Amino acid sequence: MEAVFGRGFAETCRRYSNIRADVRWLVSDAVLQEWRMRVEVRAITEDVLRDSRTWALDARHVNWDWGHIKRKLDTYGPRTLDLAFYAGYPERPQLCGIAAVQVSPHMRWVSLTHLEGAPHKHPLKGLILPLAVLGMSLFRAQVSTEDKARRMGRRILNPLPDALDCYSRNGYTDLVQEKKLSYIVIQPPVEA
């Protein structure tokens, strides 16, 4: 990687890899502190993809191809975050939800781009969205200097129409529709 992109890019990739690991740990710890529940937050790996394929297709609200989403995140660059939420420890951990987050090119937004909860009954039912937003918020706080991170907005990018009720129940109602995209503003960016 260094030979192609240079030492600075390789260092940025290492830095973001550490940030992603820290954010996953912080979300797990927050759930333990708040709800006294052990949740493991992992990166999207082949194991996660295999587990997501066990979800009944006819019960899913969306049919995201998480392998494609993960490859897209990987090609987008280092400023991305992938989250897979597992609960049910220590007996039988189960995949309860998956989320994808990315930072816009000019660091104006941190966006939740994809989100899916397991369609079956699981210990985190109703918590996948709040956990994903928590992960996005922690990621935002870590990706840049304190001043720049404070200015970056948070949004849910291109929400599916069927999911708008879920977002609304969680207090996310500020839907913006532009020519080529729509998004729900969680916190607007602050202009410098």
Side-chain angles (χ1 to χ4, degrees):
M1 183 167 29
E2 285 185 29
V4 175
F5 295 107
R7 178 168 284 167
F9 183 75
E11 180 55 39
T12 299
C13 289
R14 280 190 290 277
R15 182 172 150 256
Y16 274 89
S17 179
N18 292 335
I19 288 171
R20 286 189 290 272
D22 289 348
V23 166
R24 291 182 192 113
W25 183 87
L26 288 167
V27 172
S28 295
D29 189 57
V31 173
L32 183 62
Q33 298 298 322
E34 183 73 23
W35 294 300
R36 300 287 181 233
M37 182 187 325
R38 181 164 176 229
V39 171
E40 184 178 358
V41 183
R42 304 179 189 175
I44 298 174
T45 62
E46 286 302 318
D47 289 341
V48 171
L49 296 175
R50 184 185 61 245
D51 290 346
S52 73
R53 286 191 287 271
T54 66
W55 295 347
L57 286 177
D58 60 341
R60 292 172 74 174
H61 296 289
V62 293
N63 189 14
W64 297 123
D65 178 347
W66 283 100
H68 175 75
I69 293 165
K70 173 63 173 155
R71 286 188 298 279
K72 191 174 170 185
L73 285 176
D74 290 344
T75 59
Y76 185 79
R79 291 189 198 146
T80 61
L81 174 66
D82 50 319
L83 304 166
F85 304 101
Y86 279 80
Y89 288 92
E91 299 82 28
R92 210 180 91 184
Q94 59 180 306
L95 177 62
C96 299
I98 311 174
V101 173
Q102 67 186 39
V103 176
S104 64
H106 298 289
M107 295 187 76
R108 180 176 162 85
W109 293 100
V110 178
S111 302
L112 178 63
T113 61
H114 295 84
L115 177 71
E116 185 175 6
H120 55 272
K121 185 178 177 188
H122 59 79
L124 298 178
K125 204 63 148 174
L127 297 176
I128 300 302
L129 175 59
L131 292 176
V133 170
L134 173 62
M136 177 174 56
S137 299
L138 293 168
F139 188 61
R140 182 191 102 181
Q142 301 238 347
V143 297
S144 190
T145 64
E146 186 176 319
D147 183 51
K148 183 103 173 181
R150 213 176 306 144
R151 290 195 312 248
M152 289 169 52
R154 293 179 296 144
R155 67 183 175 182
I156 300 167
L157 190 59
N158 294 320
L160 298 175
D162 291 348
L164 291 176
D165 282 343
C166 175
Y167 295 132
S168 181
R169 282 192 308 273
N170 282 276
Y172 306 124
T173 57
D174 190 6
L175 180 64
V176 176
Q177 295 189 320
E178 295 180 354
K179 198 176 233 181
K180 294 190 177 195
L181 66 110
S182 63
Y183 53 92
I184 296 173
V185 177
I186 296 172
Q187 179 183 6
V190 177
E191 301 305 325

